[in-house]
Amino acid sequence: MPHKNIHTSLLNTFSSTLVFLVVFLSSIKGIAQKQFKCSTTAEIKIAMENVNPGDEIIIASGTYTPNEKYNIFRHITIASRFYAETDGTVDKPIIIRGEDPNNPPLLQGPTDVYDGYVFYVTADHWIIKDLKMKSGSKGLILDNANNVTIENVEVFDIASEAIHLRDGSSNTIIKNCYIHHVGIKNPGNGEGIYIGSDAKEHKDNFDPYCNNTTISDCTFGPNISAEAIDVKEEVDGVKIYNNEFDATGIVGDSRNDSFIDVKGINTYVYNNKFSVNNAGINAGVDIIQKKPKRDQELIIQTGYRTAIFDNTFNLGSEGTSTPIARFKGGDPYDIHMWNNKRIPNTPEPISYFSDDITYSCPTWSIVPCGTLGTSNFDTDIALNIYPNPVRDILHIGTDQSIPIQEVSIINLHGQLLQTTKARNINVSTLATGVYILIAKTHTSNTSTIFTKN
């Protein structure tokens, strides 16, 4: 009899444990990452409507053209062919990507119609990569979408702007993208990347603070009809580096005659290559202090603290007349420019547009001035960091044969926050935002950008 009780007790315990495991595994299954494999437009639509944090939408190579548009009402009614509205999280971003990075799928509107956005995002923590987008009124648009990464995306054949970060969309990373043939129907509004919004839209429509954007390793042009990048007033902390710009096809009128327009603050333009190609370029970077209109409140964050350094400008036959930077409106201040290369090697034209530019490195530079403009600043070291964005521990995956003597972290105002010799760095105490990491070896220094969530 005692044996029977023991067996019964063990059976009951096993049954209870089994029930617990079934319930536990069911709950895990409900929150586990899901992959949506898509090979039709309908499957992409279903995936984007049912995606959850941590899920991945994988699109097979091919062309995807929705016949209908989403009509979304936010500040204004917006129509888009593809629409993302579900938030990811810091630990579980939502990923949408092409299955084959070497043969990316094409998301597009009907050919020659240009009657809606191609891809519209109103959600946080998305990774959008290995895709092509074409044939829309605008290409890829972010409204109030934070911590979004756009990687290896080609945008072309667009009526107006290719990529627009708008309505408080901050902490955006754009890298390894290709933007060309933009402004097909509206040449005066054919910017490659447009960050923020015009002041007249701020009060009633859009949050102007689209801060902490990094744009790196991208190719701009040919045939971007307006500026390749336009940084609007009140935008803070844009970093533009390691990109290539081709001005062929720019309108070249009084509004659109530079590679980059800067109306925001704390903007850094460095290590880029610009090629005029005898196009309608009258300046490399135009810096503008936006004046408020009569019925607008005073704009504070506009037209100051811009740094332009370590760039190469291929000026062609315009070498004697084209400044690297000029003031084009208002009274910009605290503008610094140094260590840029002009080809041909002509003097920087001085005029009333640019006579207040300071030709030296400021104390608030993105990296310490002692490491810039000298042979010990090496951008060829493979300084790989992950994860990026990061919440707690940032890992440096540089080739182990390259000994790192010291690692420094500074903010966008040039303030030193941390120094360490470790390759695994605890950044959990840093505030949310964008930071610069500088790695020092026995022969050189190199830097990269990371975002803290």
Side-chain angles (χ1 to χ4, degrees):
M1 198 68 172
H3 293 290
K4 183 178 180 179
N5 289 338
I6 291 173
H7 292 158
T8 301
S9 177
L10 289 173
L11 181 61
N12 289 338
T13 300
F14 175 79
S15 299
S16 299
T17 303
L18 182 61
V19 169
F20 170 79
L21 286 173
V22 169
V23 172
F24 176 75
L25 291 174
S26 297
S27 66
I28 291 295
K29 183 180 179 181
I31 64 172
Q33 178 174 306
K34 182 188 298 182
Q35 286 188 335
F36 294 86
K37 297 290 186 71
C38 303
S39 58
T40 68
T41 301
E43 289 174 342
I44 299 174
K45 180 178 179 180
I46 291 170
M48 295 184 75
E49 290 176 349
N50 292 277
V51 73
N52 289 303
D55 290 349
E56 188 173 23
I57 302 171
I58 303 172
I59 305 174
S61 299
T63 300
Y64 301 87
T65 310
N67 293 321
E68 298 179 350
K69 304 183 293 292
Y70 292 90
N71 289 305
I72 306 106
F73 178 78
R74 289 177 66 81
H75 306 292
I76 54 178
T77 300
I78 294 168
S80 185
R81 301 290 169 178
F82 298 90
Y83 178 42
E85 61 177 338
T86 301
D87 288 336
T89 66
V90 174
D91 296 326
K92 295 182 178 181
I94 296 172
I95 300 172
I96 182 168
R97 65 175 178 87
E99 185 175 35
D100 181 359
N102 297 314
N103 186 19
L106 174 62
L107 310 183
Q108 68 168 46
T111 302
D112 297 328
V113 174
Y114 305 108
D115 68 346
Y117 301 171
V118 178
F119 197 127
Y120 184 43
V121 182
T122 61
D124 297 340
H125 298 290
W126 274 67
I127 298 173
I128 303 165
K129 62 186 296 186
D130 303 331
L131 299 172
K132 293 183 178 182
M133 303 179 190
K134 65 167 288 191
S135 300
S137 60
K138 298 187 180 186
L140 174 55
I141 312 300
L142 275 59
D143 269 346
N144 195 24
N146 297 284
N147 300 290
V148 173
T149 295
I150 303 166
E151 181 177 1
N152 192 31
V153 172
E154 180 180 355
V155 186
F156 62 104
D157 188 31
I158 300 296
S160 298
E161 302 98 337
I163 298 177
H164 192 168
L165 314 180
R166 190 173 62 183
D167 197 18
S169 297
S170 294
N171 302 321
T172 307
I173 297 173
I174 303 173
K175 57 184 178 180
N176 195 31
C177 291
Y178 179 27
I179 299 172
H180 59 100
H181 292 83
V182 179
I184 302 297
K185 296 295 183 181
N186 302 303
N189 296 315
E191 290 87 354
I193 299 178
Y194 194 98
I195 306 172
S197 49
D198 190 86
K200 65 178 180 291
E201 300 284 356
H202 291 177
K203 184 175 181 181
D204 299 319
N205 289 334
F206 301 116
D207 176 354
Y209 300 111
C210 298
N211 299 335
N212 302 327
T213 297
T214 64
I215 303 169
S216 67
D217 302 291
C218 295
T219 300
F220 293 88
N223 296 310
I224 297 175
S225 61
E227 303 88 11
I229 301 174
D230 194 348
V231 182
K232 302 302 289 185
E233 52 270 26
E234 309 229 41
V235 172
D236 187 350
V238 174
K239 289 151 293 297
I240 302 166
Y241 62 98
N242 295 350
N243 304 287
E244 293 194 10
F245 297 82
D246 178 354
T248 303
I250 191 170
V251 171
D253 59 16
S254 60
R255 286 181 52 215
N256 306 289
D257 62 346
S258 65
F259 290 100
I260 299 173
D261 268 7
V262 176
K263 304 180 187 72
I265 67 170
N266 293 310
T267 305
Y268 299 87
V269 181
Y270 63 104
N271 290 335
N272 302 286
K273 294 180 180 179
F274 299 87
S275 295
V276 169
N277 293 331
N278 301 318
I281 290 288
N282 292 318
V285 180
D286 273 337
I287 304 160
I288 303 160
Q289 184 187 54
K290 184 82 172 190
K291 294 292 187 180
K293 297 185 183 300
R294 184 174 302 173
D295 59 345
Q296 294 174 353
E297 296 178 2
L298 179 65
I299 298 170
I300 302 299
Q301 297 195 115
T302 177
Y304 68 92
R305 277 202 171 177
T306 298
I308 305 165
F309 58 96
D310 287 350
N311 301 287
T312 298
F313 289 82
N314 294 297
L315 303 172
S317 62
E318 306 300 317
T320 60
S321 60
T322 304
I324 289 174
R326 68 175 175 180
F327 295 175
K328 200 179 179 182
D331 187 21
Y333 63 96
D334 212 359
I335 311 302
H336 289 250
M337 187 172 77
W338 71 101
N339 202 47
N340 297 289
K341 184 177 183 180
R342 297 174 61 90
I343 303 174
N345 187 20
T346 54
E348 177 77 6
I350 302 296
S351 70
Y352 70 94
F353 288 114
S354 56
D355 56 0
D356 289 329
I357 293 175
T358 302
Y359 293 90
S360 63
C361 177
T363 57
W364 45 265
S365 177
I366 198 166
V367 293
C369 292
T371 66
L372 295 173
T374 63
S375 60
N376 71 335
F377 185 66
D378 187 350
T379 59
D380 293 328
I381 292 177
L383 186 61
N384 301 313
I385 60 173
Y386 61 93
N388 190 10
V390 61
R391 188 177 69 174
D392 296 314
I393 305 298
L394 184 68
H395 304 280
I396 301 177
T398 302
D399 185 347
Q400 297 295 315
S401 66
I402 302 174
I404 295 178
Q405 295 181 330
E406 185 177 81
V407 176
S408 301
I409 294 175
I410 65 174
N411 62 21
L412 296 185
H413 301 287
Q415 298 169 317
L416 179 63
L417 304 178
Q418 286 184 229
T419 300
T420 180
K421 298 182 183 299
R423 290 177 180 261
N424 304 312
I425 307 167
N426 188 339
V427 296
S428 60
T429 59
L430 295 179
T432 299
V434 176
Y435 296 87
I436 304 98
L437 181 146
I438 305 168
K440 178 181 179 182
T441 70
H442 67 287
T443 59
S444 62
N445 297 319
T446 190
S447 68
T448 191
I449 306 293
F450 70 90
T451 300
K452 167 63 170 58
N453 285 338

